[in-house]
Amino acid sequence: AQTVTQSQPEMSVQEAETVTLSCTYDTSESDYYLFWYKQPPSRQMILVIRQEAYKQQNATENRFSVNFQKAAKSFSLKISDSQLGDAAMYFCAASGGTYKYIFGTGTRLKVLA
Amino acid sequence: DTEVTQTPKHLVMGMTNKKSLKCEQHMGHRAMYWYKQKAKKPPELMFVYSYEKLSINESVPSRFSPECPNSSLLNLHLHALQPEDSALYLCASSQSLTGAEGETQYFGPGTRLLVL
């Protein structure tokens, strides 16, 4: 069975500092995709970053980058220069067949002023 | 425009009521999804429509009835719900290109449903 594990239920980071959110996954697929989604309180879930497993280069989007370790099945998200607006629930997800995502349980990120 | 809209934002209904949730996208996407999300939990997939046809039904109780009138609209009809059905209901869409594996899903803001 495909699984996605986020072992940190909650994390805190000081404003302007860097934080890394962990995600590990297990899949038997040879070709798959990985995602980080952000869901602020009472607001819409938005895509932060997407990684194609066949690409060795780590995806980046402005202050957000991933450390994709395919052999270790690890897909962590690094947020640099954290801002108050980064406070949210972050979900890691893996493609789990056509139209399906396998979501992790989420990490709640608090940003301290 | 990467926007998925949902109405209403909030809904309170009794167990004997019939109500509908609506979702709309104008991105030309051909796959649309309904998810249920409980507080502090990840979304759970309920239904997927691809090219206006029901592709996935994740064994959802029949008191939830989806409908896809056209490629831009998705409805979820609710009837005889239970208090445990109270949750955030999210709509999403994706392009649905060939294969559709790993497509980015774009989520709406959700409808927060309370069943009394």
Side-chain angles (χ1 to χ4, degrees), chain A residues 37 39 44 50 95 99 101, chain B residues 37 50 96 102-103 105 107:
Chain A
Y37 276 89
Q39 189 176 33
Q44 162 167 19
R50 176 178 182 263
S95 57
Y99 303 125
Y101 282 178
Chain B
Q37 187 180 26
S50 175
S96 191
E103 288 190 339
Q105 294 182 21
F107 287 83

Side-chain angles (χ1 to χ4, degrees), chain A residues 31 33 35 37 39 44-45 47 50 89 91 95-101 103-105 108, chain B residues 31 33 37 40-43 48 50 56 58 96 99-105 107-109:
Chain A
D31 192 17
Y33 300 78
F35 307 84
Y37 276 89
Q39 189 176 33
Q44 162 167 19
M45 185 175 292
L47 178 71
R50 176 178 182 263
M89 182 73 92
F91 290 102
S95 57
T98 303
Y99 303 125
K100 290 193 177 184
Y101 282 178
F103 282 98
T105 50
R108 181 166 299 280
Chain B
Y33 309 70
Q37 187 180 26
K40 299 184 181 181
K41 299 289 187 185
V48 181
S50 175
I56 295 175
E58 293 286 80
S96 191
E101 177 81 30
E103 288 190 339
T104 297
Q105 294 182 21
F107 287 83

